[in-house]
Amino acid sequence: MTKGVTFKDNLGPVNISNENRVARSSILGKLVEIIATSNTESCNLNRDPAEIEIKINFNDLVTHRWLVDEYVDNSVLIDSSITQLNQLINNGSTKLKRQMKLFYRNALSDFGISSKPFDLNKLKAQSDNIVEKVMSLSSEFVKASSDLQVGYYDEDISFGIALITSYSIIECIVLENPNDHN
C-alpha cells in the first residue's frame, strides 16, 4: 500500500504546504494596522470621480465596482494612512505599490493574460476575477504577517484589504490605465 494523496480527475494545480513559516513584518500588514486604528468618522469627499469612471469603464470592472465606491467614501482615510505609512517606513507607499503590482501580475498570469503584447480583451473579460485574486493574495500576505498577531479582527483585515486594493486600482497599479493604451 502506498502513502500519499490521490486527486481523481483534477483539472488544476494542487499546492499543499506544511512548512513551518516564520512570521515577518509586511508593508501591507502595517497599512492595515494604520487603517484599523484610524478615525473613520470624518471622511470628506473632495475627489472628482470622472477619471475614475473612465478607468472602471475601460477595464470593464463590474462586480467589484464597489471597491471604487469604498475608495471615494474613504479617500481621506486612505490618503492620511498612506502619509502615515511614509512617515513610519521610508518609501512605504512605493514599496506598497511594488508589492501590489506583483500581486496584479501574478493574477494576470493565473488567468493567462499576456502583458507583452498586452491582451486587453482578455483582461476586460477577467477584470473582476483579477481584482478578486489580488484581494485574495493581499489577504493571505497580511494574515501571514507578524504585524497583526494580536488585537486586529478579520473585519479589520477585510476592510483594510478592500481599501488598499481600491487605492491600487485608482493609482493604476491594479488594472490598466486607459492613457497607456491609446
Side-chain angles (χ1 to χ4, degrees):
M1 182 174 205
T2 62
K3 293 184 178 181
V5 178
T6 303
F7 295 96
K8 184 177 180 177
D9 298 325
N10 181 47
L11 299 177
V14 176
N15 296 317
I16 299 174
S17 176
N18 63 354
E19 64 189 54
N20 291 332
R21 295 192 64 175
V22 176
R24 300 196 190 290
S25 295
S26 73
I27 301 296
L28 283 170
K30 182 56 75 178
L31 188 54
V32 168
E33 181 181 278
I34 291 167
I35 289 170
T37 59
S38 295
N39 178 6
T40 60
E41 299 298 322
S42 60
C43 292
N44 181 7
L45 302 177
N46 57 359
R47 302 225 182 240
D48 181 13
E51 291 181 19
I52 296 170
E53 288 298 324
I54 292 169
K55 180 177 175 74
I56 297 311
N57 292 334
F58 179 80
N59 286 278
D60 289 346
L61 191 65
V62 178
T63 60
H64 283 84
R65 169 73 169 86
W66 64 270
L67 281 169
V68 175
D69 297 334
E70 281 300 312
Y71 180 85
V72 171
D73 291 346
N74 294 285
S75 62
V76 172
L77 171 60
I78 295 168
D79 289 345
S80 66
S81 297
I82 293 294
T83 299
Q84 189 175 353
L85 177 69
N86 283 327
Q87 291 170 347
L88 293 171
I89 299 169
N90 189 28
N91 295 318
S93 63
T94 301
K95 293 174 183 178
L96 170 69
K97 288 176 183 178
R98 186 173 55 213
Q99 184 61 51
M100 295 305 288
K101 181 70 115 185
L102 290 174
F103 290 150
Y104 176 56
R105 289 184 174 159
N106 186 305
L108 289 175
S109 175
D110 281 0
F111 290 98
I113 299 171
S114 174
S115 60
K116 303 265 186 221
F118 199 88
D119 190 343
L120 192 56
N121 290 329
K122 205 168 187 182
L123 168 85
K124 288 180 177 190
Q126 296 291 337
S127 62
D128 285 294
N129 293 327
I130 289 166
V131 169
E132 182 66 34
K133 179 70 175 180
V134 168
M135 290 176 65
S136 174
L137 290 168
S138 301
S139 183
E140 290 171 22
F141 194 83
V142 168
K143 289 178 180 179
S145 167
S146 65
D147 295 314
L148 297 174
Q149 291 295 315
V150 178
Y152 297 95
Y153 301 99
D154 281 343
E155 293 84 356
D156 293 328
I157 294 171
S158 294
F159 180 65
I161 293 299
L163 292 185
I164 293 165
T165 304
S166 69
Y167 169 79
S168 298
I169 291 170
I170 300 308
E171 291 292 313
C172 297
I173 303 302
V174 171
L175 297 181
E176 293 300 301
N177 185 340
N179 299 326
D180 294 343
H181 295 276
N182 288 332

